[in-house]
Amino acid sequence: MVTAAAVLLCLGMQAGPAEAARRAPSFPWDDLFGTRPQRPHKAARRSAVPLPKPRPAEAPAAAHAPAATEPEPPAAGTQSPAAPAEAARPSETAKPADAAKPAEPAAPQLSACRQALTEEIAIAPSIPDIHGAGGCGGEDLVRLEAIVLADKRKVAVKPAAILRCKMAAAVADWVRTDIAPLAQSLGGGISNLDNFDSFECRGRNRVAGAQLSEHGRANALDVRALGLANGKSISLTDRSVPRTLRETVLHSVCARFSTVLGPGSDWYHEDHIHLDLIERRNNYRICQWNVDDPLPQVAPLLPAERPEEAPPREVAAKSNAPKADTSKADHGKSDTGKSGTGKPNATKSDDAAAPDRSAETKPQPTKKRRQSRRF
């Protein structure tokens, strides 16, 4: 037993310092002089750093190369993993004005009517859309200022009419195709179109509370007259204008426009012609324009002038009745103017003849005076 105890004591003495060193607490000042053994550390991983490609032979000399203090940017093929993240970030050198600049709106697309209504057909610049109260206004509007004929002459619209493009194109085609040849035979051609009314936000016939007129939709035009190159004006509702001319205009407008209103339609269209392009079911059209006959010629109220070959008024004023009275008086004088001896009595004959002279010298009313008394 003594031997066993001695062996254990020796082993404990040999393992004691090492165990004590392992279990003893460590302090910052324990290894001031480097006596404590260093504990082993894990091997550090070394990341592969991409190296730049070798300098090509055709590169400029080193003297012209950038300064050595500036690091050379890595090639595109050897870009570091952090490069995509840096590229995703916005550039710090970007200008704030460029970043805050809004995108320009795209130009509005022109309609087919606007593209077809060129300056060779009409002077009709586009105007902004109108959106008024009660549905007034419209889109694709133009200001029809003049119509260009085939020979480059311009027919002015006085005043300029604000219309939809389709309505303006229909008016221009009507003037170029129908009215220009008709006016050429009257007075050297047409020079202007009298515009009585075009766009106006109102009800029909300007009645309060009535349905919105086509004038309020910029889809109607009122024409009053046609101006000719010789200075004359032809009113379409004037009854003194030849009937054939007015009927020709009537047939032309009723074939082109869906609504035509003139004299005879109502009391609001007695002095102008209303034209519009309203769309109805089954393409229904209205053409109400009575082409009246010319007014009859009224006889003059005053009598005609007296012709030169007429007899004098004094002779013409005499009638047969005074002559008969005079013959009777002369017969009486022959009977009573005799004395008992058969001789005529001069005194009685003079007295009897006096009333007859006064009757002959009394002025008689002329025909002109009698006619004037009737009125």
Side-chain angles (χ1 to χ4, degrees), residues 239-241 243 246-247 290-296:
R239 299 178 66 174
S240 62
V241 176
R243 180 185 177 91
R246 289 178 288 151
E247 287 182 346
N290 295 339
V291 180
D292 300 325
D293 294 329
L295 295 175

Side-chain angles (χ1 to χ4, degrees), residues 202 213-215 219-223 257 259-262 269 272-276:
R202 60 175 175 83
S213 172
E214 289 301 304
H215 288 280
N219 196 33
L221 178 69
D222 289 345
V223 181
F257 300 94
T259 304
V260 177
L261 301 177
H269 300 88
H272 66 275
I273 306 301
H274 170 90
L275 310 173
D276 68 47

Side-chain angles (χ1 to χ4, degrees), residues 95-158:
K95 297 181 180 180
D98 297 342
K101 185 177 180 181
E104 297 182 358
Q109 186 68 22
L110 297 178
S111 64
C113 175
R114 177 68 271 186
Q115 295 177 8
L117 192 63
T118 61
E119 293 184 354
E120 297 179 356
I121 298 177
I123 307 299
S126 298
I127 61 175
D129 299 341
I130 299 176
H131 300 283
C136 286
E139 300 177 354
D140 196 16
L141 303 179
V142 299
R143 185 174 63 252
L144 184 60
E145 299 176 356
I147 301 168
V148 183
L149 302 180
D151 56 359
K152 304 303 180 182
R153 290 185 301 169
K154 295 181 180 180
V155 179
V157 180
K158 297 182 179 180

Side-chain angles (χ1 to χ4, degrees), residues 160-333:
I162 297 178
L163 301 169
R164 298 194 181 197
C165 181
K166 291 184 178 180
M167 183 63 187
V171 173
D173 188 48
W174 169 58
V175 173
R176 288 165 55 92
T177 307
D178 298 343
I179 300 302
L182 180 63
Q184 190 68 28
S185 60
L186 298 177
I190 182 174
S191 63
N192 62 79
L193 189 68
D194 188 359
N195 169 28
F196 187 65
D197 191 16
S198 58
F199 170 71
E200 183 181 357
C201 188
R202 60 175 175 83
R204 292 182 178 179
N205 299 327
R206 294 186 175 86
V207 177
Q211 186 177 357
L212 182 64
S213 172
E214 289 301 304
H215 288 280
R217 297 186 176 93
N219 196 33
L221 178 69
D222 289 345
V223 181
R224 184 161 48 185
L226 305 175
L228 303 180
N230 58 4
K232 295 182 180 180
S233 179
I234 299 178
S235 176
L236 300 180
T237 58
D238 188 2
R239 299 178 66 174
S240 62
V241 176
R243 180 185 177 91
T244 56
L245 175 62
R246 289 178 288 151
E247 287 182 346
T248 303
V249 178
L250 168 66
H251 296 321
S252 67
V253 293
C254 289
R256 293 179 176 273
F257 300 94
S258 58
T259 304
V260 177
L261 301 177
S265 60
D266 51 34
W267 291 103
Y268 300 96
H269 300 88
E270 293 296 324
D271 58 348
H272 66 275
I273 306 301
H274 170 90
L275 310 173
D276 68 47
L277 285 178
I278 188 174
E279 296 181 359
R280 301 184 181 93
R281 291 182 299 177
N282 301 326
N283 197 22
Y284 181 73
R285 293 172 174 266
I286 296 178
C287 183
Q288 297 179 357
W289 177 6
N290 295 339
V291 180
D292 300 325
D293 294 329
L295 295 175
Q297 296 182 357
V298 181
L301 299 179
L302 297 178
E305 295 182 0
R306 183 178 182 84
E308 296 180 356
E309 60 273 11
R313 291 185 177 275
E314 295 180 358
V315 177
K318 293 181 180 179
S319 60
N320 296 328
K323 291 181 179 180
D325 297 337
T326 305
S327 60
K328 293 178 181 179
D330 294 341
H331 181 72
K333 285 188 291 183

Side-chain angles (χ1 to χ4, degrees), residues 324-346:
D325 297 337
T326 305
S327 60
K328 293 178 181 179
D330 294 341
H331 181 72
K333 285 188 291 183
S334 60
D335 295 338
T336 58
K338 293 181 181 180
S339 59
T341 58
K343 296 180 179 181
N345 191 352

Side-chain angles (χ1 to χ4, degrees), residues 79-88:
Q79 189 175 4
S80 61
E86 295 177 2

